[in-house]
Amino acid sequence: MEHMSENKKNLWGGRFESKISKISQEISESISFDKALYKYDIEASLAHAQMLSKQKIITKEQFEKIKAGLLQIQKEIEENKMEFSFELEDIHMHIENRLTEIIGEEGKRLHTGRSRNDQVAVDTHLFLKDNILKQKKLLINLLKTFYEKAKEHKNDIWAGYTHTQIAQPVLLGHYLMAYFWKFQRDLLLLEFAFKEADVSPLGGAALAGANYDIDREFTAKKLGFSSVYENSMDAVSTRDYQLSYHFFAVRLFIHISRICEELIWYNSAEFQYVTMTDKVTTGSSIMPQKKNPDIAEILRGKTGRVAGSLNALLMNLKSLPLTYNRDLQEDKIYLFDTVKQISLGLEGLIEILKNTVFHPQKVEQNLEKGFAQATDIADYLVTTYNLPFREAHELTGKLVKYCESKKITLSQIKETDLTAVWGEKYTLSLKILNLKECINNKQGTGSTSEKEFINQLKKAEKVLSGLGD
Ligand code: ARG
């Protein structure tokens, strides 16, 4: 029979005779990743111990000893003095074991009325809340960056695409603001994830609640939670708050990947719509001329990783019976990674935007090549001659076909070309072919005209001012 070393005794020794096998220990451990929770574990233990003392479940002296011990452990971890080993499985057991080493028998009272099931849940809720608040600031900074860039380019022409084909001219600011609104909705999802994480599971204990007169509202308040889970079985088995964060994360990365994809193409020699500067590009080890948009590419690639983590958690949770099952230990791997990727993604995209120069003058040639004023011509025929739109569409299509065969753009059309295609029946005011004119003819809330765009910026300002700093 193998014995455990005295100081590394696990916490359920009573019923066990031999040690877990090496491979089982390797499978079982989570200390290699959940040590990231130490701060929250200590914070939650302090609140729990204080509640036990307030409720006279432990004495005030015992609480003071526990408190001093926990604070010492926090210091030891921060100073890299804590020894971590697979034998003690996870962060909760490391801290509890060390507490008993430091303060003796009283350390063994900390776990009264609590289980690692509600303990790991409360730690993870705290971890997520903390990180969401930090990321909210980053996301607001991203919104401000889009807003500033859009304002800077409020009069510049940009190319609007559908099907990756030139469609219609738009303002560059309007294009940038399209992303502002997408990311603004992501902020709403992030706020929702925060709300779900803002509920305390502590006191759910193993699954049924505690056999002591505990005060869950007290610990919740002490830890900054707005409320407590209404059902102990729900409290220890749910990972919904994590799912909501992953939903946010994947959608945010979908948006990051879309703009990165566009900027990568726009930065190419074929487009030359933008130049990504040296801060966000890297060279090639073989081709001396290269400046590659690697940062945008890596962010685009990370979308797969973040979506993978959502999928991993979904599969982990599928059909999982209530309440706690050890499968749930894996959740932290996905959560920690996604939290890290989101910070990189947000900071990275801000850096890319700040270090990308837009060249609005480069899009005009492509707009001309793509006959971007065609819809405006059709609309002109509708308004001027009261034609049904389908007829105007047909007439314009013929004009475009004519231009293509003559190898001219719509802007190069002369009166004689119009008569060649349409006879004497219809003509055009040629000024409507001006790209800026096409932009400014757009009407209705949310359109790209300079007038509506100013209104859009005002609405964005209102949103931003409601978000604080
Ligand atoms: N390390 C575990 C986890 O992360 C803590 C909870 C363990 N609970 C248990 N009943 N074995 O999920």
Side-chain angles (χ1 to χ4, degrees):
M1 189 175 82
E2 283 178 83
H3 286 285
M4 280 169 231
S5 49
E6 227 5 78
N7 61 338
K8 296 268 162 58
K9 204 165 167 197
N10 68 29
L11 302 170
W12 50 83
R15 199 169 188 275
F16 286 76
E17 290 193 343
S18 75
K19 254 174 122 176
I20 195 170
S21 61
K22 201 164 166 295
I23 184 64
S24 301
Q25 193 173 69
E26 215 174 296
I27 292 167
S28 188
E29 72 84 22
S30 56
I31 189 62
S32 56
F33 51 91
D34 70 12
K35 52 177 178 254
L37 291 174
Y38 81 89
K39 232 181 17 174
Y40 309 100
D41 198 69
I42 289 173
E43 190 189 349
S45 286
L46 283 170
H48 176 68
Q50 191 178 351
M51 181 277 291
L52 292 178
S53 147
K54 180 183 86 74
Q55 297 299 93
K56 310 221 177 331
I57 300 165
I58 61 171
T59 66
K60 188 144 191 318
E61 293 66 41
Q62 286 163 343
F63 162 61
E64 291 301 340
K65 266 183 132 178
I66 289 173
K67 182 175 169 187
L70 287 171
L71 293 177
Q72 181 181 325
I73 296 170
Q74 172 140 5
K75 203 156 163 266
E76 285 178 6
I77 298 179
E78 271 153 19
E79 288 170 358
N80 266 331
K81 287 186 185 142
M82 178 97 162
E83 236 183 77
F84 295 110
S85 80
F86 283 7
E87 269 183 296
L88 284 174
E89 221 177 89
D90 58 25
I91 188 65
H92 323 294
M93 278 166 55
H94 274 79
I95 291 176
E96 202 184 322
N97 185 74
R98 182 73 189 123
L99 184 66
T100 308
E101 276 178 6
I102 300 171
I103 69 165
E105 291 300 295
E106 310 291 32
K108 295 182 179 167
R109 294 183 185 277
L110 174 62
H111 214 53
T112 316
R114 156 182 107 164
S115 147
R116 278 188 300 157
N117 300 350
D118 59 341
Q119 191 179 356
V120 72
V122 75
D123 291 4
T124 320
H125 279 73
L126 289 170
F127 166 86
L128 192 55
K129 279 181 68 182
D130 208 12
N131 281 286
I132 288 178
L133 290 180
K134 286 184 200 146
Q135 296 185 339
K136 193 174 160 184
K137 285 194 185 142
L138 288 178
L139 188 43
I140 293 172
N141 278 348
L142 178 66
L143 293 181
K144 285 183 179 160
T145 311
F146 271 110
Y147 168 81
E148 291 301 335
K149 274 264 170 194
K151 209 163 131 180
E152 199 182 304
H153 293 290
K154 67 176 186 298
N155 304 114
D156 292 327
I157 295 172
W158 199 246
Y161 287 82
T162 60
H163 313 273
T164 326
Q165 306 281 313
I166 286 283
Q168 291 186 307
V170 290
L171 290 175
L172 172 50
H174 192 60
Y175 160 75
L176 291 165
M177 284 304 284
Y179 280 104
F180 173 96
W181 297 110
K182 291 183 199 306
F183 286 111
Q184 185 261 339
R185 288 190 299 273
D186 290 338
L187 182 60
L188 301 180
L189 280 191
L190 184 63
E191 284 169 347
F192 180 72
F194 183 86
K195 268 192 195 156
E196 292 211 319
D198 194 20
V199 183
S200 174
L202 190 59
L207 75 159
N211 284 328
Y212 305 87
D213 176 24
I214 59 168
D215 185 345
R216 290 189 62 203
E217 285 69 22
F218 175 86
T219 45
K221 195 159 172 234
K222 188 94 203 133
L223 294 169
F225 287 106
S226 295
S227 60
V228 301
Y229 280 90
E230 296 299 340
N231 180 304
S232 62
M233 294 180 81
D234 182 30
V236 297
S237 63
T238 187
R239 293 298 180 267
D240 287 357
Y241 63 105
Q242 292 188 30
L243 276 179
S244 291
Y245 179 75
H246 284 286
F247 293 149
F248 148 79
V250 176
R251 204 178 77 182
L252 180 95
F253 255 102
I254 293 289
H255 294 149
I256 292 177
S257 77
R258 291 180 78 170
I259 189 159
C260 283
E261 167 83 1
E262 289 185 322
L263 293 179
I264 289 163
W265 280 107
Y266 292 165
N267 188 57
S268 66
E270 289 80 359
F271 276 85
Q272 295 181 14
Y273 285 7
V274 305
T275 305
M276 287 190 196
T277 58
D278 293 4
K279 285 209 164 115
V280 289
T281 49
T282 61
S284 153
S285 58
I286 176 169
M287 296 168 282
Q289 87 283 15
K290 296 273 273 192
K291 260 193 193 179
N292 294 325
D294 294 32
I295 308 307
E297 291 174 285
I298 294 169
L299 291 190
R300 184 177 59 180
K302 281 183 185 298
T303 313
R305 176 172 175 172
V306 170
S309 284
L310 164 65
N311 205 33
L313 183 63
L314 286 170
M315 292 304 100
N316 182 300
L317 293 171
K318 185 193 169 287
S319 313
L320 204 65
L322 300 193
T323 55
Y324 180 85
N325 298 275
R326 196 65 183 283
D327 316 39
L328 291 173
Q329 174 164 293
E330 298 276 307
D331 66 347
K332 287 170 286 300
I333 299 173
Y334 322 130
L335 183 67
F336 294 168
D337 188 60
T338 291
V339 163
K340 170 108 189 111
Q341 302 317 315
I342 291 294
S343 294
L344 291 175
L346 289 170
E347 284 194 68
L349 184 55
I350 292 170
E351 190 69 2
I352 290 171
L353 289 172
K354 288 196 169 155
N355 291 287
T356 297
V357 184
F358 287 79
H359 307 302
Q361 65 283 7
K362 295 275 186 183
V363 306
E364 289 187 25
Q365 207 186 344
N366 280 346
L367 284 167
E368 293 292 350
K369 270 202 259 174
F371 306 106
Q373 309 94 322
T375 315
D376 301 85
I377 296 174
D379 288 334
Y380 175 90
L381 293 174
V382 169
T383 4
T384 314
Y385 298 100
N386 194 24
L387 286 181
F389 183 76
R390 280 288 149 249
E391 223 168 286
H393 188 288
E394 169 97 18
L395 285 167
T396 313
K398 282 186 178 145
L399 188 63
V400 170
K401 199 168 161 200
Y402 169 89
C403 288
E404 228 168 10
S405 69
K406 292 270 171 200
K407 297 201 173 12
I408 58 169
T409 67
L410 288 169
S411 291
Q412 289 164 338
I413 281 175
K414 298 198 185 62
E415 294 289 343
T416 48
D417 298 312
L418 292 174
T419 15
V421 188
W422 294 342
E424 297 299 326
K425 213 169 166 192
Y426 309 109
T427 189
L428 271 185
S429 154
L430 292 178
K431 89 173 195 342
I432 69 145
L433 300 173
N434 175 285
L435 295 170
K436 201 47 157 317
E437 187 83 10
C438 298
I439 288 175
N440 283 332
N441 277 336
K442 299 293 171 293
Q443 297 174 39
T445 308
S447 75
T448 191
S449 70
E450 284 168 301
K451 178 172 149 270
E452 287 300 336
F453 184 66
I454 296 295
N455 287 334
Q456 188 184 156
L457 284 183
K458 281 194 196 130
K459 285 185 188 149
E461 276 158 34
K462 220 170 144 195
V463 167
L464 286 173
S465 69
L467 295 174
D469 284 328

